Amino acid sequence: MALSDSIKVRLREGQALVYAAEAEGRSVGVATVIRERLERADKAAEELASIRASLIELGDDVDRLSRLVADRPVETPGRGQGDDQPSAVQLEMLLLLRGLVSPQTLRMVTAEVERQGLVPWGRSVR
């Protein structure tokens, strides 16, 4: 990997000692330690932004679910439910699965559902 411009950074004495000790323990330069820490921080920030976006989307799904079931009676075991409405278990599973996947995966799955001529769950409830 080719590196570009160098940058001078002033550190507190304690920070410089910590970075120098880490660099010595790993047999690398202080610049390498600092660069790797910055790269990890950038990656963590990206992952956090993705998690925040997923949580916002999950919150929207919960709001739609709340509106959908607000006026419905509580389901009792063994009692049938109309085919046009998802059961509580189906909705819970959907929300749990959506919470586990990345926004990119969710978009890909939604596009495939639409390609097959179906209406994705979130688009039909609004």
Side-chain angles (χ1 to χ4, degrees):
M1 170 178 76
L3 301 176
S4 61
D5 299 332
S6 66
I7 301 171
K8 289 185 179 186
V9 178
R10 293 181 190 262
L11 301 172
R12 290 190 309 269
E13 186 176 330
Q15 283 179 306
L17 292 174
V18 169
Y19 295 155
E22 182 180 340
E24 185 177 326
R26 294 176 42 203
S27 299
V28 297
V30 174
T32 300
V33 169
I34 293 172
R35 184 175 48 254
E36 288 173 354
R37 283 179 173 244
L38 287 170
E39 288 169 356
R40 283 194 306 268
D42 288 345
K43 184 174 180 172
E46 289 172 10
E47 289 174 357
L48 184 57
S50 176
I51 290 169
R52 284 183 178 137
S54 294
L55 286 173
I56 289 169
E57 190 167 326
L58 184 59
D60 293 342
D61 289 343
V62 169
D63 290 342
R64 286 193 298 269
L65 173 61
S66 296
R67 288 191 304 270
L68 180 67
V69 299
D71 297 327
R72 293 177 54 196
V74 176
E75 215 178 288
T76 57
R79 191 176 126 221
Q81 187 172 7
D83 290 335
D84 61 335
Q85 295 294 321
S87 71
V89 171
Q90 290 169 324
L91 289 170
E92 183 176 353
M93 293 288 289
L94 173 67
L95 292 174
L96 288 170
L97 288 170
R98 283 186 171 193
L100 293 174
V101 301
S102 68
Q104 179 182 4
T105 302
L106 182 58
R107 284 190 297 274
M108 181 181 67
V109 169
T110 301
E112 176 60 21
V113 169
E114 290 172 339
R115 188 188 72 76
Q116 294 186 22
L118 302 170
V119 178
W121 177 73
R123 303 242 168 87
S124 63
V125 178
R126 294 181 200 265

